Amino acid sequence: VNSVYDGFTGVQVAGLLNFSSIVGCDAFDRSRRSDTAGVQIAGLFNIATNMTGIQVAGLMNIAPELHGMQISGAFNGSPNNITGIQLSLGVNYVEENATGLQIAGLWNRAGNINGAQVALGYNYADNVRGVQIGLVNNCKTLTGIQIGLINIISDRKVLPMLPIINASF
């Protein structure tokens, strides 16, 4: 287990957990930030605030703000924003804005995505500017293309659901 408080630059490698934050500050607390720049590699979990760099974990990565890449066996998450790539065998989740690429074995979720979501299962974003490729693709608004068995643009009044391909520009 590695735990660093009040900022971190470099490489953290742990068999179980890497944690980088501020003393007394929850990693999800949006009111206080600690910068983490570099690489976190862990057998199970990586947690960092304001991450610039790469997180690689066997199970889960969490970074409220991410500029870089997350690679995990089960879950990548951000309660705020990411700019970069999330790659997971399971789930990728961004509460607010994702700029870049989400690739998942099960499903991707983003508040807004400017880029691409690719999943074997389900993709969802409130607003998509780009591409969704998956078994089921779902969004409220789309400027781009959906490719999958079921494609849904819920705010579209005419033909909100189409098989194989759906587009809106």
Side-chain angles (χ1 to χ4, degrees):
V1 175
N2 290 317
S3 183
V4 178
Y5 295 100
D6 204 19
F8 168 76
T9 299
V11 177
Q12 281 185 311
V13 178
L16 297 176
L17 167 68
N18 288 312
F19 181 76
S20 177
S21 188
I22 299 172
V23 175
C25 176
D26 184 336
F28 297 101
D29 183 355
R30 296 179 187 194
S31 66
R32 298 177 65 193
R33 295 281 186 229
S34 175
D35 292 331
T36 301
V39 178
Q40 288 184 314
I41 301 170
L44 294 179
F45 301 99
N46 288 309
I47 299 171
T49 57
N50 222 19
M51 178 72 179
T52 300
I54 299 171
Q55 292 181 308
V56 179
L59 192 60
M60 178 174 71
N61 295 305
I62 295 176
E65 295 286 338
L66 172 71
H67 297 275
M69 179 182 283
Q70 291 178 320
I71 301 169
S72 75
F75 179 81
N76 292 314
S78 173
N80 297 333
N81 305 297
I82 71 151
T83 300
I85 298 170
Q86 287 183 313
L87 175 61
S88 177
L89 295 174
V91 175
N92 294 311
Y93 178 87
V94 178
E95 181 68 28
E96 293 181 12
N97 301 303
T99 301
L101 177 63
Q102 290 182 309
I103 300 174
L106 296 177
W107 61 273
N108 293 306
R109 195 272 188 225
N112 303 297
I113 185 150
N114 188 356
Q117 290 180 312
V118 179
L120 294 176
Y122 182 72
N123 291 309
Y124 178 82
D126 293 333
N127 304 294
V128 176
R129 292 185 61 82
V131 178
Q132 288 182 315
I133 301 171
L135 187 63
V136 177
N137 301 299
N138 189 356
C139 64
K140 290 181 183 177
T141 66
L142 173 69
T143 302
I145 297 172
Q146 295 174 317
I147 300 170
L149 184 62
I150 298 170
N151 302 292
I152 301 163
I153 306 171
S154 62
D155 282 357
R156 187 183 337 188
K157 298 198 186 311
V158 177
L159 295 174
M161 185 174 73
L162 289 172
I164 312 304
I165 194 163
N166 203 354
S168 180
F169 295 97

